[in-house]
């Protein structure tokens, strides 16, 4: 009879259960431990000790680890994202499908019984509940992003997707009918971008469209805003630098003319939220959302797009705070330079796209720091919500861009004057002279006349070697009947370039800088583009170095070099972008 009492134990896959009086039940790991290992009389009809009918089964005193694994297996349909629960003891691992339906808190692995770590089952179920995951298996992108965030802080979740570029949106196809309100043709990579953005919107998450400059980020956004399912995208808000508002309006009229569009800017802006709600798309500036924050906060926006999103790289600014306060279902940041100066730039943008995903600012800086290694460590967390393609990777039909660095040596008299300015600054400002010296010497290298109170009425500006070389380049460009953009950050230099261009060559020459009213800037570009033959635009990179499309020019000269090379790259992309044929 004693032997019979040892034979009540049975195996159900990897779970141990008891049969008593014809009835089956699944004891807890603690009950099994006490009965089999501690040899205590736990069950009245079951003899303590190891079961004799499962001779090959051994029992461990030590629990196994329990964890949730997230993995990515690209597929033609679905997300390709999966989660599963596994138990691990050393090198032995067993996957447990149907975790919620599991009846026990133990597992049999490789012929040995192990209890789970106490409380692990409840903690995993709590994680699944918070991610709104019913049963393990294929999961949504939103659920994946939640688990990815948990994996940073909780060792019970293991993320195995770091080696993959997880963009499930590109593997899904919204269908051509979703483009019926869009009037235009998309390049293949733009169509991929539209699919990805549509997927992000469908998941009601957020994303960063970080394509390199010139690849048509604006058009990809418009394809999403033109979704015929108007309830999913109306009302939407586009926030951009004031210089780009008219450009956005024109592009929407061009590619999606049926959309009701309103530019909320300047003296004509409304004070009524209903006026804004009556439009499909509202276009406004960063300064305006900070100024009219109370008005914008009264509206539940379906999609908020931040163009040139590096504008919120400093989280302490009013514009960043105003943008992050907006009520929205979907957040899209558009920027070719998600990191300009510090890794914190990226954190601030992600904090708009998915608030809290990377923790607060202090937690982010503690985890990742601000170096190359920190960027590499942050990349796996950011890549699923960022789509970035480079021109050389996807736009082979663009003509080759030729970069020609031009090294110029100061002439002997210029060297002497340069040294005089440097010494004079040091004597005047002492220890505080470093920044002042850099600024004054930068102005000198742009043109010595900039340091004078006013440009001399007599004298030839071409007596300075750098300016003389500029005129030589312009002569070659104009002889071929072509157009050029010249970038300088000094208004007086811009005036000098325009004056000399008109005098020496008699061609169209205009400027766009901080003195040019925002509504007039697109008109300047239109007149420049309409010129049949040689023409010049002198541009300040801060006022006209982002967003504008000036493909009528096929030459770009950076007359005054910028401290940040990314600013120069953005400026060059005003001409080297879709539509450029030369």
């Amino acid at each position: 009879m004693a032997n019979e009492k040892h034979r009540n134990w049975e195996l159900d896959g990897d779970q141990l259960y008891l049969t008593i009086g014809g009835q089956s039940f699944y004891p807890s790991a603690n009950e099994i431990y006490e009965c089999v290992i501690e040899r205590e009389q736990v069950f009245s009809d079951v003899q303590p000790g190891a079961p004799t009918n499962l001779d090959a089964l051994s029992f461990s005193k030590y629990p196994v680890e329990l964890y949730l694994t997230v993995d990515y297996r690209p597929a033609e349909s679905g997300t390709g994202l999966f989660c599963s629960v596994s138990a691990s003891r050393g090198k032995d691992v067993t996957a447990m499908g149907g975790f919620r339906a599991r009846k026990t808190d133990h597992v049999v692995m490789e012929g040995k019984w192990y209890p789970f770590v106490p409380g692990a089952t409840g903690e995993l179920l709590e994680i699944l509940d918070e991610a709104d995951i019913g049963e393990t298996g294929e999961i949504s992108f939103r659920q994946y992003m939640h688990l990815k965030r948990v994996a940073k802080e909780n060792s019970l979740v293991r993320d195995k997707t770091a080696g993959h570029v997880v963009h499930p949106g590109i593997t899904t196809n919204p269908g051509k009918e979703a483009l019926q309100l869009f009037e235009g043709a998309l390049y293949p990579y733009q169509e991929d971008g539209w699919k990805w953005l549509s997927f992000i919107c469908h998941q009601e998450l957020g994303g960063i469209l970080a394509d390199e400059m010139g690849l048509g980020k604006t058009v990809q956004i418009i394809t999403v805003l033109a979704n015929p399912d108007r309830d999913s995208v109306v009302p939407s808000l586009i926030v951009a630098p004031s210089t780009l508002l008219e450009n956005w309006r024109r592009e929407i009229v061009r590619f999606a003319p049926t959309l009701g569009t309103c530019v909320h800017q300047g003296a004509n802006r409304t004070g009524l939220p209903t006026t804004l709600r009556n439009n499909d798309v509202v276009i406004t500036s960063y300064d305006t959302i900070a100024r009219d924050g109370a008005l914008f906060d009264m509206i539940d926006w379906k999609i908020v797009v931040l163009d040139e999103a590096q504008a919120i790289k400093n989280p302490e600014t009013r514009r960043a705070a105003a943008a992050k306060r907006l009520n929205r279902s979907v957040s899209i940041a558009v920027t070719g330079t998600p990191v300009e100066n510090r890794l914190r730039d990226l954190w601030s943008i992600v904090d708009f796209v998915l608030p809290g995903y990377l923790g607060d600012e202090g937690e982010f800086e503690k985890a990742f720091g601000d170096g190359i290694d920190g960027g590499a460590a942050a990349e796996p967390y950011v890549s699923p919500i960022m789509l970035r393609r480079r021109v050389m990777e996807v736009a082979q039909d663009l003509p080759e861009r030729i970069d020609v660095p031009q090294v110029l040596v100061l002439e002997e008299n210029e060297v002497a004057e340069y040294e005089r300015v440097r010494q004079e600054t040091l004597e005047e400002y002492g220890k505080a002279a470093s920044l002042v010296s850099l600024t004054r010497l930068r102005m000198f290298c742009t043109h010595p006349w900039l340091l004078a109170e006013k440009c001399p009425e007599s004298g030839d500006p071409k007596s300075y070697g750098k300016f003389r070389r500029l005129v030589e380049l312009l002569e070659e460009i104009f002889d071929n009947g072509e157009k050029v953009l010249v970038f300088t950050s000094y208004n007086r230099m811009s005036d000098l370039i325009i004056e000399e261009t008109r005098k020496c060559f008699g061609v169209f020459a205009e400027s766009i800088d901080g003195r040019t009213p925002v509504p007039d800037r697109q008109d300047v570009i239109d007149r420049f583009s309409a010129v049949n033959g040689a023409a010049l635009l002198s541009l300040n990179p801060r006022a006209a170095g982002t967003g504008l499309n000036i493909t009528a020019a096929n030459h770009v000269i950076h007359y005054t070099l910028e401290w940040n090379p990314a600013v120069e790259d953005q400026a060059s992309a005003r001409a080297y972008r879709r539509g450029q044929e030369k």
Side-chain angles (χ1 to χ4, degrees):
M1 186 66 180
N3 287 338
E4 288 296 323
K5 290 187 178 183
H6 277 282
R7 296 174 182 170
N8 299 81
W9 299 95
E10 301 289 347
L11 267 178
D12 178 11
D14 61 7
Q15 302 181 82
L16 200 60
Y17 70 97
L18 277 169
T19 300
I20 301 176
Q23 300 293 318
S24 299
F25 75 98
Y26 291 78
S28 69
N30 189 55
E31 290 173 327
I32 296 174
Y33 184 90
E34 291 178 351
C35 178
V36 176
I37 296 178
E38 297 291 339
R39 294 180 172 273
E40 296 181 6
Q41 187 70 51
V42 179
F43 312 104
S44 59
D45 292 326
V46 178
Q47 184 73 25
T52 57
N53 61 324
L54 298 173
D55 293 334
L57 183 65
S58 59
F59 289 79
S60 172
K61 295 181 178 181
Y62 305 104
V64 291
E65 287 187 62
L66 207 59
Y67 58 87
L68 183 70
T69 299
V70 185
D71 207 351
Y72 180 54
R73 302 191 288 274
E76 292 186 2
S77 61
T79 64
L81 296 162
F82 298 86
C83 76
S84 59
V85 175
S86 301
S88 173
R89 182 71 183 173
K91 295 182 179 179
D92 296 330
V93 177
T94 185
M96 293 178 287
F99 183 70
R100 282 188 180 276
R102 194 174 183 86
K103 301 174 183 178
T104 62
D105 57 351
H106 67 256
V107 65
V108 175
M109 299 171 52
E110 304 293 324
K112 194 167 188 175
W113 175 90
Y114 297 92
F116 293 160
V117 172
T121 300
E123 192 171 350
L124 277 181
L125 289 173
E126 186 176 328
I127 292 171
L128 292 172
D129 287 341
E130 290 175 351
D132 197 25
I133 296 174
E135 190 51 87
T136 53
E138 186 169 17
I139 57 176
S140 71
F141 190 65
R142 171 181 281 277
Q143 292 166 338
Y144 162 70
M145 292 304 296
H146 177 86
L147 292 179
K148 196 169 182 67
R149 175 169 51 191
V150 173
K152 295 206 309 289
E153 304 167 352
N154 194 325
S155 60
L156 286 181
V157 181
R158 300 184 180 182
D159 179 17
K160 293 189 176 182
T161 66
H164 303 281
V165 178
V166 181
H167 283 153
I170 295 179
T171 67
T172 61
N173 192 347
K176 292 296 183 181
E177 64 276 3
L179 285 174
Q180 58 184 281
L181 299 182
F182 179 79
E183 297 186 5
L186 296 174
Y187 292 96
Y189 71 88
Q190 291 176 330
E191 187 168 325
D192 284 344
W194 160 63
K195 292 177 182 178
W196 182 75
L197 288 166
S198 298
F199 182 85
I200 288 291
C201 292
H202 179 70
Q203 293 281 313
E204 291 193 345
L205 279 169
I208 304 172
L209 181 59
D211 282 347
E212 199 171 41
M213 296 161 288
L215 292 181
K217 295 188 287 291
T218 300
V219 170
Q220 294 175 66
I221 294 295
I222 293 174
T223 58
V224 175
L225 300 181
N227 189 334
D229 180 11
R230 305 310 296 149
D231 289 341
S232 66
V233 293
V234 173
S236 288
L237 176 67
I238 296 172
V239 184
S242 57
T243 54
L244 303 182
L245 303 187
E246 176 60 16
N247 184 70
W248 268 101
R249 189 194 68 80
R250 290 189 181 202
E251 293 292 278
I252 292 175
V253 169
R254 176 185 175 189
F255 291 106
T258 61
L259 299 189
T261 305
C262 160
V263 177
H264 179 82
Q265 179 75 355
N268 295 325
R269 65 187 193 276
T270 182
L272 300 174
T274 52
T275 304
L276 298 181
R277 287 195 196 98
N278 289 336
N279 290 275
D280 294 331
V281 182
V282 176
I283 306 169
T284 194
S285 69
Y286 285 99
D287 290 338
T288 302
I289 62 167
R291 185 184 304 116
D292 294 351
L295 174 64
F296 286 101
D297 292 346
M298 296 173 68
I299 301 173
D300 291 326
W301 303 98
K302 291 298 176 65
I303 300 175
V304 172
V305 178
L306 298 189
D307 189 22
E308 303 296 343
Q310 65 271 18
I312 65 163
K313 65 184 180 182
N314 184 348
E316 298 168 1
T317 59
R318 289 181 63 219
R319 61 175 56 177
K324 295 176 184 182
R325 194 174 57 243
L326 293 166
N327 300 315
R328 59 202 186 273
S329 300
V330 176
S331 311
I332 298 175
V334 181
T335 175
T337 51
V339 178
E340 278 197 331
N341 301 309
R342 298 179 54 191
L343 201 55
R344 187 182 75 159
D345 301 349
L346 178 62
W347 173 83
S348 187
I349 294 173
V350 173
D351 192 49
F352 162 77
V353 169
L354 279 181
Y357 174 59
L358 294 178
D360 62 30
E361 184 180 352
E363 292 169 338
F364 178 81
E365 292 188 342
K366 182 178 180 181
F368 301 108
D370 190 38
I372 295 176
D373 291 342
E379 188 273 337
Y381 298 103
V382 178
S383 62
I385 57 169
M386 180 188 292
L387 184 61
R388 179 167 177 80
R389 281 82 56 88
R390 301 181 63 191
V391 171
M392 62 184 297
E393 296 168 345
V394 299
Q396 287 82 9
D397 53 311
L398 267 175
E400 182 182 0
R401 171 176 145 173
I402 302 171
D403 289 12
V404 184
Q406 181 74 81
V407 179
L408 301 176
V409 178
L410 291 172
E411 297 174 1
E412 189 173 338
N413 64 313
E414 294 168 350
V415 171
E417 182 64 12
Y418 180 96
E419 182 60 20
R420 186 193 66 79
V421 171
R422 190 178 74 86
Q423 290 295 338
E424 184 180 89
T425 306
L426 288 172
E427 292 172 5
E428 183 175 353
Y429 293 94
K431 294 181 179 180
S434 56
L435 183 58
V436 178
S437 296
L438 284 173
T439 302
R440 295 188 69 182
L441 294 175
R442 182 172 183 252
M443 293 174 69
F444 177 88
C445 289
T446 299
H447 201 293
W449 287 10
L450 297 188
L451 293 179
E453 291 186 7
K454 63 178 181 177
C455 294
E457 296 180 0
S458 61
D460 185 358
K462 295 189 294 297
S463 62
Y464 178 53
K466 180 176 180 177
F467 189 76
R468 184 166 63 250
R469 179 56 182 150
L470 171 65
V471 174
E472 292 169 355
L473 292 172
L474 294 179
E475 182 176 13
E476 183 177 344
I477 292 169
F478 295 153
D479 281 348
N480 292 324
E482 295 178 332
K483 296 183 174 70
V484 61
L485 308 181
V486 180
F487 283 95
T488 178
S489 48
Y490 297 110
N491 292 346
R492 288 179 64 188
M493 192 66 235
S494 179
D495 294 341
L496 186 58
I497 291 170
I498 291 171
E499 179 183 346
E500 199 68 15
T501 299
R502 290 172 178 171
K503 184 174 71 175
C504 294
F505 304 105
V507 302
F508 177 98
E510 289 288 351
S511 67
I512 296 177
D513 53 44
R515 300 169 297 181
T516 312
V518 172
D520 297 344
R521 295 179 183 183
Q522 188 62 47
D523 178 63
V524 175
I525 294 171
D526 293 343
R527 288 189 287 115
F528 170 77
S529 302
V531 172
N532 183 20
L536 176 145
L537 265 184
S538 177
L539 305 170
N540 185 303
R542 296 297 176 186
T546 58
L548 298 177
N549 187 337
I550 320 178
T551 53
N554 62 306
H555 297 277
V556 176
I557 296 175
H558 293 284
Y559 185 80
T560 306
L561 296 183
E562 295 299 316
W563 303 118
N564 188 343
V567 174
E568 290 181 10
D569 287 339
Q570 286 183 321
S572 296
R574 299 316 99 219
Y576 188 68
R577 61 194 299 118
R578 281 279 173 235
Q580 182 58 261
E581 299 175 352
K582 298 183 179 180

